[in-house]
Amino acid sequence: MQLIPLTMPVVNKEMKETALHVLENEMLVGGESVVKFEQSFAKYVGTDYAVSSNSGSSALLLAFHAIGLNVGDKVVAPSATFIATLNGACLLGANPVFCEIGSDYVILSEQLEKILNKSQVKCVVPVHLYGRPCNMSCILDIAKRKNVILIEDSAQAHGAQHKSKKVGSFGEAAIFSFYPTKNMTVGGDGGMITTNSKKICESALKMRDVGRKTKYTHDEIGYTLRLNSVNAAIGKIQLQHLDEWNAKRRSIAKAYRNKLTGIGDLIMPPGDEPYDESVYHLFVLRTQKRDLLGLWLSKNGVSTGVHYPIPVHRQPAYQKFESKVLAFTDEWSKTVISIPIFPNLDSKDQEYIINLVTRFYDERLYEQKELRDKEKEWSNKLI
Ligand SMILES: Cc1ncc(COP(=O)(O)O)c(C=O)c1O
């Protein structure tokens, strides 16, 4: 049986030919493709600058460094995210403060405001989780009133829009990831910072390049976090396809929503506000029978994912920090399941997935002894 993957990057002939061309003709690090990719990306997002890096995590580290994050500073982010969101801040000595998410899976503005009323916070990191834009008008308003710096984690939301403005253009800075499962990749790890601040741009350029001032002079102790030229060249071509791929993701999401709404106890991902445009990096359902559904789909050749089974405040690495009760985040982590979505998902395969999910509930297949016997084993894989 051939497996239907959860996601699959598009790698076409043009990308392969470009990679070869760069390998044969450019400096492999710091080639002209890097600058060209950065310029195209800044133009696409609508910011003055874009600085590439070798991952989204590196981009976060560079952004936190650029805003002058210091030991003991507080940084607020949701716990319902990938662990990397605050890793860079913590590595610089900051203290994470976790905020609850709403039923739309993005940071809850009311709770954010309460946190900012109570404590002195330097920076807030809203995460456009699963490709859904946060309500940036509201968050910007709060950030301005409370005088905190905003860094958007747009790692999962290339091309998503709030009120006709692209995510990644709202905060002091934003970051993107090009890890191969993302809506666009660079043919491996990669990341980008977008900003309108010359200061942030210059800091990121220097710190990604060993703190270099001139070829042989280094006036800061920096990192080596550059994006390779071959990856940048692939990224530039991927970017040209991003809108078309996002449109396909939206139409796949629409078909899932049409066919799966009202089935069993399934909760669909939140629909878009009229002024928002999600890019469905993931299509995430919620169900109390999450593990049995994952097992059933896997048995029938369909890959699923769980984003994420352990919220960041419950990760072993974060136990040294204080955290409060995040009841909805806990519930979310126990019930979410991601089903396949990617631009080249075949419509017959999608029908097959929809049919399997529908049968699971309509025929009460979750009661099958064979599935129940393996449930524990399946759940253990998530922790
Ligand atoms: C929300 C979020 N933030 C940050 C990152 C970090 O990006 P990278 O894996 O490129 O370091 C990711 C990547 O998975 C992510 O999903």
Side-chain angles (χ1 to χ4, degrees):
M1 184 182 2
Q2 225 195 335
L3 204 69
I4 302 176
L6 179 63
T7 181
M8 169 122 60
V10 182
V11 179
N12 65 19
K13 192 163 168 265
E14 191 190 358
M15 291 163 205
K16 289 180 197 166
E17 283 172 0
T18 303
L20 200 58
H21 178 82
V22 173
L23 272 173
E24 289 171 350
N25 293 286
E26 279 189 33
M27 302 264 293
L28 298 184
V29 173
E32 61 184 305
S33 290
V34 176
V35 177
K36 282 190 187 156
F37 179 38
E38 290 171 339
Q39 285 170 345
S40 321
F41 202 83
K43 188 162 176 228
Y44 179 81
V45 172
T47 52
D48 291 344
Y49 310 100
V51 180
S52 60
S53 61
N54 60 1
S55 72
S57 301
S58 311
L60 279 159
L61 180 63
L62 292 168
F64 288 129
H65 178 90
I67 62 159
L69 202 64
N70 270 320
V71 175
D73 283 342
K74 288 189 177 152
V75 183
V76 181
S79 170
T81 179
F82 183 55
I83 191 166
T85 297
L86 285 191
N87 279 355
C90 297
L91 285 167
L92 293 173
N95 289 324
V97 180
F98 291 110
C99 184
E100 189 55 285
I101 50 166
S103 56
D104 52 0
Y105 311 143
V106 291
I107 198 162
L108 197 60
S109 309
E110 300 84 53
Q111 202 186 90
L112 173 62
E113 182 131 22
K114 275 191 200 146
I115 292 173
L116 300 182
N117 282 341
K118 266 203 233 143
S119 18
Q120 187 70 36
V121 167
K122 172 121 180 183
C123 173
V124 175
V125 189
V127 181
H128 307 295
L129 197 69
Y130 309 149
R132 182 187 169 82
C134 298
N135 185 341
M136 289 313 294
S137 327
C138 180
I139 294 172
L140 261 182
D141 172 59
I142 298 175
K144 275 197 188 125
R145 278 189 287 109
K146 305 291 177 190
N147 197 25
V148 293
I149 297 171
L150 270 189
I151 295 183
E152 293 168 76
D153 183 339
S154 316
Q156 302 189 358
H158 319 66
Q161 300 197 50
H162 171 71
K163 298 195 173 162
S164 307
K165 213 167 132 64
K166 295 249 164 46
V167 305
S169 64
F170 290 91
E172 266 82 354
I175 71 92
F176 293 83
S177 163
F178 302 124
Y179 183 75
T181 58
K182 300 294 194 268
N183 288 32
M184 62 167 285
T185 182
V186 291
D189 273 315
M192 192 76 83
I193 299 170
T194 50
T195 182
N196 289 321
S197 157
K198 193 164 182 237
K199 198 168 145 256
I200 292 177
C201 167
E202 283 174 351
S203 164
L205 284 171
K206 178 177 286 195
M207 290 303 287
R208 77 170 182 189
D209 193 25
V210 222
R212 188 170 263 132
K213 187 180 173 208
T214 65
K215 189 170 179 196
Y216 294 113
T217 314
H218 305 252
D219 59 357
E220 276 209 68
I221 297 176
Y223 310 97
T224 298
L225 305 175
R226 300 169 298 238
L227 183 69
N228 293 318
S229 310
V230 170
N231 297 108
I234 294 172
K236 187 165 179 293
I237 297 171
Q238 290 255 331
L239 183 61
Q240 288 159 12
H241 294 277
L242 181 62
D243 286 344
E244 158 207 334
W245 292 341
N246 283 343
K248 282 198 183 157
R249 285 175 180 273
R250 274 194 293 275
S251 92
I252 293 167
K254 192 170 168 197
Y256 273 140
R257 194 183 294 284
N258 285 344
K259 299 276 176 60
L260 293 178
T261 300
I263 304 284
D265 72 338
L266 284 179
I267 299 176
M268 290 299 113
D272 272 354
E273 299 293 342
Y275 44 76
D276 279 345
E277 198 163 86
S278 299
V279 291
Y280 290 95
H281 167 55
L282 294 166
F283 193 83
V284 179
L285 302 165
R286 264 171 59 216
T287 169
Q288 296 299 326
K289 300 179 176 62
R290 191 263 304 281
D291 294 346
L292 287 167
L293 179 60
L295 192 54
W296 163 248
L297 289 173
S298 161
K299 261 188 63 175
N300 288 285
V302 176
S303 307
T304 59
V306 174
H307 302 88
Y308 296 91
I310 308 176
V312 185
H313 75 291
R314 294 201 179 276
Q315 288 287 354
Y318 275 75
Q319 292 316 299
K320 60 185 172 199
F321 303 109
E322 253 177 60
S323 79
K324 52 177 168 357
V325 176
L326 297 168
F328 183 71
T329 296
D330 282 336
E331 165 71 11
W332 160 92
S333 68
K334 291 186 187 107
T335 52
V336 280
I337 179 164
S338 312
I339 59 176
I341 190 163
F342 50 93
N344 288 340
L345 178 63
D346 187 85
S347 57
K348 287 206 183 72
D349 285 347
Q350 188 180 15
E351 274 306 315
Y352 173 69
I353 297 164
I354 291 168
N355 187 32
L356 280 175
V357 175
T358 310
R359 283 184 52 211
F360 175 79
Y361 290 100
D362 286 359
E363 298 173 24
R364 303 173 76 90
L365 298 175
Y366 46 81
E367 287 173 350
Q368 276 184 355
K369 184 171 178 320
E370 199 194 330
L371 278 188
R372 293 212 166 253
D373 285 350
K374 294 225 167 99
E375 186 182 9
K376 190 87 195 121
E377 201 182 309
W378 182 264
S379 316
N380 283 344
K381 285 192 207 151
L382 300 174
I383 49 174

